[in-house]
Amino acid sequence: GPVAETFRVIQGAVNEEYVRSTQGVFQFELSGDGGGTWYIDLKTKGGSAGFGKPPVTADVVMSMSSADFVKMFTDKLKSFMAFTPRISVIKSVMMLTYESRKML
């Protein structure tokens, strides 16, 4: 589904350099279609993203509908993916996470 696809894109963009510079773990509690617990781990060696609880305790936990999550990330990711390297995608994802946290 769209949530899994979004996390596949994020997983593909995670790299060691970005893990070193970010050192954060983000957990998403998504409701609705494709919902459940998802995470982006930018703390553990190599980093990872996917379904389930993160391998270590999350620094940020966010709750939203899966539709809002996909919309928020897909709209931004599309514009970044077209012309920027992968590391910029992850930076934009983290920036969005912090921005949306402020809104909640």
Side-chain angles (χ1 to χ4, degrees):
V3 173
E5 182 56 36
T6 303
F7 276 93
R8 262 195 298 279
V9 171
I10 294 167
Q11 171 69 54
V14 170
N15 69 28
E16 189 66 49
E17 178 186 340
Y18 201 69
V19 171
R20 264 198 311 276
S21 64
T22 306
Q23 291 295 298
V25 180
F26 305 85
Q27 182 174 321
F28 301 89
E29 296 296 337
L30 304 180
S31 59
D33 189 33
T37 301
W38 295 80
Y39 73 93
I40 303 171
D41 174 5
L42 294 173
K43 190 178 272 185
T44 309
K45 183 172 172 50
S48 61
F51 184 74
K53 290 209 180 285
V56 294
T57 306
D59 299 303
V60 177
V61 179
M62 294 179 60
S63 298
M64 65 178 70
S65 75
S66 54
D68 285 347
F69 173 84
V70 170
K71 182 166 178 20
M72 179 176 82
F73 280 83
T74 306
D75 290 351
K76 301 286 186 194
L77 285 173
K78 274 184 192 159
S79 59
F80 284 109
M81 292 284 284
F83 57 86
T84 54
R86 288 180 161 191
I87 195 150
S88 297
V89 173
I90 284 292
K91 281 183 178 165
S92 63
V93 167
M94 293 306 102
M95 187 179 68
L96 281 169
T97 303
Y98 285 119
E99 283 174 10
S100 53
R101 187 178 178 206
K102 281 187 240 169
M103 289 188 298
L104 299 176

